[in-house]
Amino acid sequence: MTQQCNSTEIASLQVNGDRLNDTLKTIGAIGALPNGGVRRLAFSLEDIQARTILQTWMEAAGMTTTIDTAGNLIGRYPGRFPHTPALATGSHLDTVPNAGIYDGTYGVLAGLEVVRTLHENNIHLDHPLELIVFADEERTMIGSKAMAGQAPLDPDYYAHPHYAPLPPSLAAIGGDWERLTASQRQPGSLAAFVELHVEQGPVLEAAGGPIGLVTGIVGQRRYSITVAGQASHAGTTPMDMRQDALVAAAQVILAVNKIGTADNGDQVATVGSMKLSPNVVNTIPGQVEMTLDIRDLSNDRLDQMVATLEQDMAAIAQATQTRIHLQPKLRNEPVPVNSHIHSTIAQVCEDLGLPSTALPSRASHDAQIMASLTDMGMIFVPSDDGISHAETEYTSPEHCTQGANVLLHTLLRLDHHYGCTEEVVAAVSAI
Ligand code: HGY
Ligand code: MN
Ligand code: MN
């Protein structure tokens, strides 16, 4: 496979920023909401429409495409040594119910722009280059978890009253629940994975630098909390004879806030959704279902938060004569990034004259799951006002372009770093 560009031309290669930002607008219009936000829930028609467009764009950029049994859409740009482990980048196209156009989508489209830039300059890396659109990052993370062999295989684990069961949802995007484990990649099958993402927080903007050098990704634990009391007549039931599930739930919410604000630490704790029943004006709430999301860079601190909350919930249940159940629903381990990839990204920023700031990711990402499979790195660009998971999420076209250039040159350098060894080249050439 001949290379048209020489090393000097490759060193000065730039992505097409206008094309990248145009694709962001095009995909951002899929699931557009009247308030300017986006709703592109995993497995929805909007998700399928966006994935279909991406697949077409991938193939036009010289990639072969597949959808694995976990529903991951994988574009593969050929390398000069096709049988060596691939370099990979990617993110997600699914969104929370009221999102911006950047969370996840930006990393996918910047990866596409990198391949488009290589393809139109007839440049091929030594390694194959994979662009992965992970399935359902926002709720189950089934795409990356299955790829890493971490997905619970009981479909009931993912059950939720607001969402369709996972097996038919996966089928809707080309996956196959019955053969889920076929999507698992073996350690060593990838040379490295780098994800580019908007920070979704205020640190980079405050630091004034366009590029974030992610140092690690927080651990995250999600739970459902069910509070069971006794529904009863709001008029005839004396206050001292009530088992009011909402009064108990209110105390649980304050207990969650207490573990989130303890010791002025960096941990966070959130009750993001709540459903009470029967939810009528003249009946004492009999049941409350809530969700809990806690995060920190330290597993020890997360363990302590859960232990403290369980103690508090036992006391609240006793005092309110209710029953409170904490059901684990998702667990992501805190992971550091690969130090060589981190320093490669820093060097690329320096060579491109882009100020950079080291920071942890306080959001979860598929990258932290991929870290169990291969060397992992993450690059951030700023989120204006630190806003994300809201319609006012915004990152400037300039920052989007700068981030994509850093991704391009990071992958070019990692291609050399994870060089194809003589034995591998000899073995491959002999095929
Ligand atoms: O929850 C998260 O951190 C990610 O946006 N799914
Ligand atoms: Mn995301
Ligand atoms: Mn998100």
Side-chain angles (χ1 to χ4, degrees):
M1 200 173 274
T2 54
Q3 305 282 55
Q4 263 185 346
C5 295
N6 61 40
S7 55
T8 309
E9 287 159 327
I10 288 177
S12 59
L13 210 53
Q14 297 276 309
V15 300
N16 180 329
D18 291 342
R19 180 171 59 190
L20 167 59
N21 286 289
D22 285 349
T23 55
L24 268 166
K25 288 192 191 93
T26 303
I27 299 299
I30 302 173
L33 295 170
N35 67 356
V38 179
R39 179 187 178 93
R40 195 165 57 239
L41 300 182
F43 315 117
S44 64
L45 291 177
E46 296 79 10
D47 189 26
I48 293 168
Q49 187 185 350
R51 290 162 58 96
T52 305
I53 293 173
L54 249 295
Q55 191 163 13
T56 309
W57 287 348
M58 285 173 167
E59 288 167 359
M63 287 190 254
T64 54
T65 61
T66 53
I67 295 177
D68 70 14
T69 56
N72 298 307
L73 167 59
I74 304 165
R76 188 174 172 95
Y77 184 64
R80 297 189 312 138
F81 303 107
H83 303 294
T84 56
L87 283 173
T89 186
S91 195
H92 59 97
L93 289 176
D94 66 292
T95 72
V96 291
N98 179 47
I101 68 169
Y102 301 91
D103 176 5
T105 305
Y106 167 59
V108 170
L109 295 174
L112 173 74
E113 180 52 39
V114 163
V115 175
R116 281 175 161 175
T117 303
L118 295 173
H119 186 239
E120 65 195 1
N121 287 284
N122 191 26
I123 297 171
H124 289 268
L125 306 182
D126 287 345
H127 297 77
L129 176 56
E130 288 191 1
L131 171 58
I132 305 171
V133 179
F134 291 101
D136 191 13
E137 188 276 344
E138 289 293 359
R139 189 172 81 90
T140 66
M141 299 186 86
I142 189 66
S144 52
K145 292 243 181 208
M147 193 175 270
Q150 296 177 12
L153 298 179
D154 173 2
D156 293 343
Y157 174 83
Y158 306 94
H160 186 291
H162 297 173
Y163 297 93
L166 199 51
S169 297
L170 275 190
I173 62 169
D176 179 354
W177 173 265
E178 297 308 321
R179 295 191 309 113
L180 187 72
T181 53
S183 64
Q184 184 174 350
R185 311 288 280 265
Q186 296 311 314
S189 64
L190 291 174
F193 177 81
V194 180
E195 182 168 0
L196 172 59
H197 206 286
V198 291
E199 180 205 340
Q200 301 181 287
V203 173
L204 266 189
E205 185 181 52
I211 303 297
L213 306 173
V214 178
T215 54
I217 305 174
V218 289
Q220 178 186 25
R221 298 182 194 176
R222 291 183 193 167
Y223 301 83
S224 65
I225 300 177
T226 304
V227 182
Q230 178 58 57
S232 182
H233 196 293
T236 58
T237 311
M239 294 304 285
D240 63 357
M241 291 178 67
R242 296 183 175 204
Q243 295 165 263
D244 187 328
L246 189 55
V247 167
Q251 294 174 40
V252 169
I253 293 168
L254 292 175
V256 166
N257 189 261
K258 190 179 80 172
I259 61 170
T261 53
D263 313 325
N264 289 322
D266 289 330
Q267 77 280 6
V268 291
T270 311
V271 173
S273 70
M274 181 163 82
K275 178 168 165 271
L276 62 96
S277 59
N279 198 26
V280 288
V281 63
N282 58 354
T283 304
I284 300 165
Q287 176 155 311
V288 175
E289 289 173 275
M290 301 186 279
T291 56
L292 173 65
D293 177 325
I294 59 173
R295 310 192 191 199
D296 193 71
L297 282 164
S298 152
N299 258 334
D300 289 345
R301 185 192 294 264
L302 289 167
D303 290 340
Q304 181 55 51
M305 292 167 76
V306 175
T308 303
L309 183 62
E310 283 175 330
Q311 281 171 1
D312 288 354
M313 291 195 302
I316 293 165
Q318 174 74 34
T320 56
Q321 291 300 292
T322 57
R323 296 172 306 289
I324 304 175
H325 179 57
L326 186 67
Q327 174 70 39
K329 296 303 276 183
L330 179 90
R331 176 171 173 143
N332 293 342
E333 302 307 323
V335 290
V337 299
N338 173 274
S339 56
H340 177 79
I341 297 178
H342 184 270
S343 53
T344 301
I345 299 167
Q347 190 58 55
V348 165
C349 290
E350 194 178 314
D351 295 349
L352 293 179
L354 294 172
S356 61
T357 305
L359 76 166
S361 170
R362 299 209 171 274
S364 276
H365 299 286
D366 292 306
Q368 75 192 106
I369 311 304
M370 296 300 283
S372 66
L373 272 181
T374 187
D375 291 351
M376 176 278 288
M378 269 208 94
I379 307 164
F380 276 169
V381 290
S383 296
D384 281 24
D385 302 325
I387 299 289
S388 182
H389 284 191
E391 70 278 9
T392 49
E393 178 187 79
Y394 180 76
T395 298
S396 71
E398 185 194 16
H399 284 158
C400 287
T401 303
Q402 289 168 333
N405 277 318
V406 172
L407 178 65
L408 168 65
H409 286 283
T410 298
L411 291 169
L412 284 166
R413 295 191 192 189
L414 293 179
D415 188 41
H416 290 303
H417 172 72
Y418 293 98
C420 300
T421 59
E422 282 314 310
E423 304 81 73
V424 169
V425 172
V428 162
S429 312
I431 291 169

